Amino acid sequence: MNFDLDDDQRDIAAGARDFFRGSASPAAARAGLEGGRPEPGRAALSDIGFLGITVPESAGGAGRTLLDLAVVAEQGGAVLAAPSLVTPARAAVLLAGEPELAAGLADGSTSFAVLDGSPDGSAPSVDAADATTFLALDGEDLVVGAGEVVPGRPLDATRGLASVRLTSRRVLATGAGELWARARQVGAVVMAAEDLGGADRCVQLGVAYAQEREAFGRRIGSYQAVKHLLVDAWVGVEQLRSLVWWAAWAADANPGELPLAAAAAKACAAAVYEQAAGTLVQVHGGIGFTWEHDAHLFWRRAKVDRLLLGDEAEHLDAVARLAVAGALGT
Amino acid sequence: MDFDDSPDEAAYRARVRELLERHASELVRLRPGQEAVDPRTSEAELRRTQRVLADAGLVGVAWPAEFGGQGGTLMQQAIVSQELARAGVPALINHIGIGMCGPTVIAHGSQDQRERYLTRLLRADDVWCQLFSEPASGSDLAALRTTAVRDGDDWVVNGQKVWTTLAHVADLGILLTRTDPDRPKHAGLTMFVVDMHAPGVTVRPLRQMGGQSDFNEVFFDDVRIPDSERLGEPGEGWRVALTTLMNERVAIGGAGGTIGLPVEAFVQHARERLPGLDPERQVLARQAVGRAVVAALGARYSGYRRLTALSQGGLPGPEASAGKLAGTEAARLVADAGVRLLGDDAVYAATGEGDDRWQRTQSWIPGIAIAGGTDQVLRNIIGERVLGLPPEPRSDKTVPFSGGRR
């Protein structure tokens, strides 16, 4: 057994960290709430190859594993990057039999979104707001088409949420229910990885502030009431990291474990990110409640992500059902 | 990343299984639904079990060969632990010795002490206990008051220890004492190996809130310990104790082990009990089951990460405290969901057929949250040593122990 990233994955993570820190930021997420554009945006993500990480090499992608993608997604989550890598990960699964469409995904020439809910009026779906080509499940058919996009008023502008009604549709595959479910599980793992990056960043920012800020004559991080909040958030982040890595690994190396592992990771992500972002605001006190401070941008992401691709309750239920049905090998 | 055995690990596992089968008739086994065997009633069988395993090379797997171990890897140790659990072999009677006392002797003992003690420890010829906590110093261990006073070639010990697991069957213990009350509290401590059969040592059982008696209070009345049984230098006892405590946190859930009931046993329970609940209750119960399974898997896989780091040469650090903290929370959720799955019988925490496993499991949880570092002490350790947050002000840290509080 060896449960750690390898050198290659550590290099990928370091490269992704440099890229995202240079091209996205909480400030851009704040600007997004006031009409600004998402950063780094689809074009920059396709230029650096992040839209095709799990697309096969034969279709112009990198042909790498979901774990490789997850370590990149974590770095994007740390700076609230948009659009999400959930969409390319999920679309790459759905387009496994469609090399031409997959090539358009990888090179950024087609702006995909994957729709949740009915193609005749979808639920708010990730990065649908600026997409032009939509993948949806129509009954048991996987379909692709154009659509009419209705954005909502965003709580977190970085998620690009919009409802879509397909105005054209072409069937890519019939009997696609299982493929669709697997793609959604992969998407849940990638969102959990982005949430891991965001939650980890919240703990770092909270710790840094608690090391400096003084109250009642000493630094607030020395008070157990503050210290233990941050520790609990950090312990949560460490549990989440383990579940995200395990789930991402399982997607390629042990697919039978993916449904349970993905549900566990997503349920954990919902709780851990909310806790970490809430802690970040609380540790900053009144400063953390201001528009100018970054804390609310992580908090917004946490409040939105916990509901996307299934909320905590849905995934806890899935974990229980799958475990009882024998998914842990018992 | 790979959760399967490497070829070497698979071969080792096969050999372990073969050895366990060969010695099956000589080993104590747990009955179905039984989690532990009480040393009070089965001491001889438990000692024999460990001796058989030690002679087969399955105890002290990762200890250096020069100290009686197998010179193997921590991954091999983890494999042995998994296979022992799979075979239904209960915890080794000398688990305190193997997990905490032995590593302390290895790190701080004289060559003579290592030779006299370590092989016998691994074979359970001597069972060990850890004499640290006192009635007035649990979390604040360095405030302990048991004294050791030099008298010729001996030290004379007086005082009381408490919450001492296995003291009632132990032959030896590591004993933390105050030898210089005029120095600050951490600087006046000295560690010894004490003979639990020596005149003046009195062991009295304590009954825990769940009704069992796993631990004891131990009284020392003019107990003489030869100076040759000192572990480390006089005044260096705190440093020696830190070795013990660090190993303790790795031993308790730090590296892939489970605190409390294994998630597989919990899932089996859920499988049996869920269909018997009202449909509305099933929905709620699945939430509790899912939450417990997620917590248990998070703790398990985080333990695998620490095990990987340790087996690649990392040292047990303060991060291991997170394993105990998360493992305790998972055990709490598992115990609570396990009880709730009993339906109307949840108020008895036992089934109508008399299975009271969940009562024991539930009533054990508050103890785990205290033993080996309370949840709150562990949070302080993580906050200060892992996250780098400022320490709590400690007004007694630099003043002489005697002047500070007596």
Side-chain angles (χ1 to χ4, degrees), chain B residues 203-221:
Chain B
V203 178
R204 289 216 293 251
L206 284 172
R207 200 168 179 207
Q208 296 135 232
M209 60 183 270
Q212 306 90 337
S213 285
D214 293 327
F215 54 37
N216 308 273
E217 49 187 355
V218 183
F219 298 87
F220 295 89
D221 296 302

Side-chain angles (χ1 to χ4, degrees), chain B residues 35 129 155 163 337 387:
Chain B
E35 312 91 48
C129 63
W155 296 77
W163 326 124
L387 298 184

Side-chain angles (χ1 to χ4, degrees), chain A residues 1-6 9 67 203 206-208 210-211 218-228 230-232 234-235 237-243 245-246 249 253 257 260 263-265 267-268 271 312-317 319-321 323-330, chain B residues 1-6 9 75 263-265 267-268 270-271 274 282-283 285-287 289-295 297-308 311-312 319 322-323 325-327 375-380 382-384 386-394:
Chain A
M1 185 185 73
N2 170 21
F3 190 18
D4 195 3
L5 301 180
D6 61 27
Q9 284 152 348
L67 182 58
V203 173
V207 166
Q211 284 169 330
R218 53 184 167 112
R219 292 181 288 167
I220 62 170
S222 66
Y223 295 104
Q224 291 186 10
V226 174
K227 181 178 291 167
H228 292 189
L230 290 163
V231 168
D232 286 344
W234 178 81
V235 171
V237 166
E238 287 305 299
Q239 309 307 298
L240 175 58
R241 186 183 307 282
S242 303
L243 291 174
W245 285 2
W246 169 48
W249 169 88
E257 279 185 337
L260 188 146
C268 184
E312 185 187 21
E314 177 189 320
H315 288 295
L316 291 178
D317 193 71
V319 167
R321 288 176 187 273
V324 166
L328 289 171
T330 57
Chain B
M1 196 171 289
D2 189 355
F3 293 95
D4 292 333
D5 286 339
S6 69
E9 289 164 359
M75 208 60 83
V263 67
E264 285 79 8
V267 166
Q268 177 62 34
R271 187 176 296 138
L274 265 174
Q282 285 189 33
V283 175
R286 279 200 307 271
Q287 288 292 302
V289 169
R291 196 177 299 280
V293 170
V294 169
L297 292 175
R300 170 179 291 182
Y301 281 95
S302 296
Y304 289 165
R305 279 171 55 212
R306 280 187 297 278
L307 177 60
T308 298
S311 70
Q312 289 169 352
E319 309 78 33
L325 205 52
D375 284 358
Q376 288 69 33
V377 163
L378 298 180
R379 288 187 175 101
N380 283 353
I382 294 167
E384 293 169 21
V386 179
L387 298 184
L389 290 166
E392 283 275 310
R394 291 177 176 100

Side-chain angles (χ1 to χ4, degrees), chain B residues 154-178:
Chain B
D154 292 345
W155 296 77
V156 179
V157 177
N158 282 284
Q160 183 194 347
K161 297 291 177 177
V162 75
W163 326 124
T164 314
T165 304
L166 287 172
H168 53 296
V169 293
D171 305 290
L172 295 164
I174 54 174
L175 172 66
L176 191 58
T177 65
R178 183 163 307 283

